[in-house]
Amino acid sequence: MELSLGYSPCPNDTFIFFALVHRLIECPGFTFRERLEDVETLNGLAREGSLDVSKISYHALGYLRDDYCLLRAGGALGRGCGPLVVTKGARSMAELRGKPIAVPGRYTTAALLLRLFDPGLDTLVYLPFHEIMGAVARGEVAAGVIIHESRFTFPAYGLTKLLDLGDWWEGETGHAIPLGGIIAKRSLGREAVRAIDRALRASVAYAQAHPGEANEYIRAHSQEMSDEVCAAHINLYVNDYSLDLGPVGEEAVSYLLGRAEEAGIVPRATQPLFLS
C-alpha cells in the first residue's frame, strides 16, 4: 500500500526521513509518497485529512486527535530548542501588548506557547517562518517568534532576543518542550501504525549511524543554509526523543495539550494520544 507522507524540507526532517523514503530500511507492506512542505502547510493538509502520515506541530495535533494518532518516533522534542521572541526595539514582553507580533502560522507550537505565556499578546500576524526576521528588521511588526534555523541567524538582521519561550516553558513546567511530532491516520489500524512507527524509528537510527549519507539529500532542500547552520540545526532538533518519546516525552506532550485544553485553545480529547 502506498501512503502519503508529509514532512518539512528542514534539515532535521530530511535527516530523519532519508532512509525511509529511499527504502534503505523496510516497512513491510508499505511504500511512501513524500511531500515536503513548510510545517504550517503540513498542519493545514492534515486538518484537511490529505496526508496518511505527517509531521505536525503539537499545537495542530490538539485539533486532530479524533482522526490521527501520535507516533513515538521521528518528532522534535527537547530542551534548549524552543522558539525565540526577537525584536528590534522593544525592551520587555509587556511592551508588546497591543502591538503586532509575527508568528510562523496559526497552528504552530510557537503560536501556542506565546498564547500560553501571555494571552494579552493577541495582535498576531501570521507569516511564513522565513519571512519573520525581515519583517521585524523592517519595522513591519514589533517582534517576531522565530523557529528552525532562524535561532542561529537572527543577529545578522540586527535583532535581539527578548524571550526564549522554551526556557520559559521549561522553567514554568519542568517539562521538555514538544515542538512537532509525527502522526498517522487512525483508520490505518493498530498493526499498520505499529509497523510505520517501527520503520520510522529505524530510519532515525540509520541516519544517526550513517550521519554523512544523507548530506546530499539534506543540502538539496536547504540550499540557502550554510553547512555549519545545517549541522547545528540537526544537532539541536534530533535527539533521543526522536528515536522514541519515552515516558518523559509522552508526559511532556500530554502536559502541553492539557494546558492548551485548560486555556480553551484546543478542544478536549476524546481519543487516546497513541494507537500503538
Side-chain angles (χ1 to χ4, degrees):
M1 178 188 297
E2 184 181 69
L3 300 177
S4 54
L5 168 64
Y7 56 95
S8 84
C10 292
N12 60 308
D13 281 353
T14 48
F15 178 84
I16 283 172
F17 285 99
F18 169 76
L20 183 64
V21 300
H22 288 83
R23 302 186 183 184
L24 299 174
I25 55 93
E26 293 185 0
C27 187
F30 298 99
T31 58
F32 297 92
R33 181 180 71 258
E34 70 268 29
R35 179 169 177 176
L36 278 65
E37 301 283 358
D38 168 80
V39 67
E40 182 69 348
T41 301
L42 295 174
N43 291 340
L45 289 169
R47 285 174 63 84
E48 296 169 0
S50 299
L51 297 169
D52 296 312
V53 182
S54 185
K55 176 73 173 284
I56 194 83
S57 297
Y58 276 114
H59 180 190
L61 176 58
Y63 300 90
L64 297 171
R65 289 173 285 180
D66 285 348
D67 298 317
Y68 287 91
C69 63
L70 182 63
L71 303 186
R72 290 183 167 86
L77 182 148
R79 296 186 181 275
C81 60
L84 307 180
V85 181
V86 297
T87 184
K88 196 170 185 179
R91 292 168 294 181
S92 71
M93 293 298 293
E95 189 179 323
L96 295 177
R97 285 194 169 194
K99 296 181 180 178
I101 304 171
V103 296
R106 184 181 301 273
Y107 299 107
T108 58
T109 305
L112 172 60
L113 288 172
L114 186 68
R115 293 178 68 183
L116 292 175
F117 172 77
D118 183 354
L121 299 171
D122 56 4
T123 309
L124 304 182
V125 177
Y126 302 108
L127 293 176
F129 82 91
H130 61 277
E131 296 180 7
I132 289 178
M133 291 187 295
V136 180
R138 293 188 296 271
E140 296 168 3
V141 291
V145 183
I146 59 172
I147 57 175
H148 301 327
E149 65 273 10
S150 302
R151 286 181 56 94
F152 309 109
T153 58
F154 71 88
Y157 287 77
L159 307 179
T160 58
K161 180 179 72 174
L162 201 55
L163 175 68
D164 185 322
L165 283 164
D167 284 351
W168 164 75
W169 177 259
E170 292 175 41
E172 172 88 0
T173 71
H175 289 291
I177 175 66
L179 297 171
I182 312 302
I183 58 173
K185 282 187 173 178
R186 294 183 184 273
S187 60
L188 292 171
R190 189 182 306 274
E191 292 306 314
V193 168
R194 285 176 174 170
I196 295 164
D197 214 350
R198 287 194 299 268
L200 184 51
R201 185 177 300 112
S203 189
V204 177
Y206 185 99
Q208 292 177 327
H210 307 84
E213 194 167 327
N215 282 352
E216 184 176 348
Y217 181 64
I218 293 167
R219 296 301 292 145
H221 295 286
S222 57
Q223 295 177 0
E224 297 180 1
M225 206 180 300
S226 70
D227 290 341
E228 293 76 17
V229 169
C230 194
H233 189 115
I234 294 170
N235 290 336
L236 183 63
Y237 295 112
V238 181
N239 52 37
D240 289 343
Y241 295 114
S242 304
L243 278 168
D244 192 319
L245 281 172
V248 173
E250 291 179 23
E251 187 177 357
V253 173
S254 295
Y255 186 83
L256 175 69
L257 293 174
R259 282 282 293 263
E261 289 175 357
E262 291 172 8
I265 297 172
V266 303
R268 293 197 177 273
T270 60
Q271 297 279 356
L273 194 57
F274 299 96
L275 188 60
S276 62

